[in-house]
Amino acid sequence: MNSTNMIGRLAGEVELRTTPSGKQVASFRLAVPRQRRGGTDRGAVFLTVQAWEQRAELAARVLGKGDRVAVSGRLEQEEWESSGQRRERVL
């Protein structure tokens, strides 16, 4: 099962755009803290989060840089080639 729950802070502002088919999508970077056993800080993992349609509009309207948010969803991996190099990212 591909399911994840994360709590973190927005690392920037929410970007809202409309796809060529007319659907709205919001994207933002989420900084999720990493901790060692015992609570020692190890920095953060930065993930790109996408919200679609009604959730996209809501995210763009109410969320801002630094806000603490909880995100539930699924992870997706994108792969592409750019300048002869294979690239990938997890959304």
Side-chain angles (χ1 to χ4, degrees), residues 44-77:
V45 173
F46 290 83
L47 297 168
T48 300
V49 177
Q50 289 184 338
W52 290 83
E53 300 183 45
Q54 291 176 336
R55 289 186 177 113
E57 293 175 31
L58 179 63
R61 190 171 62 244
V62 302
L63 298 178
K65 182 177 179 179
D67 286 349
R68 187 168 186 221
V69 296
V71 174
S72 295
R74 66 179 187 272
L75 297 175
E76 293 185 12
Q77 182 175 357

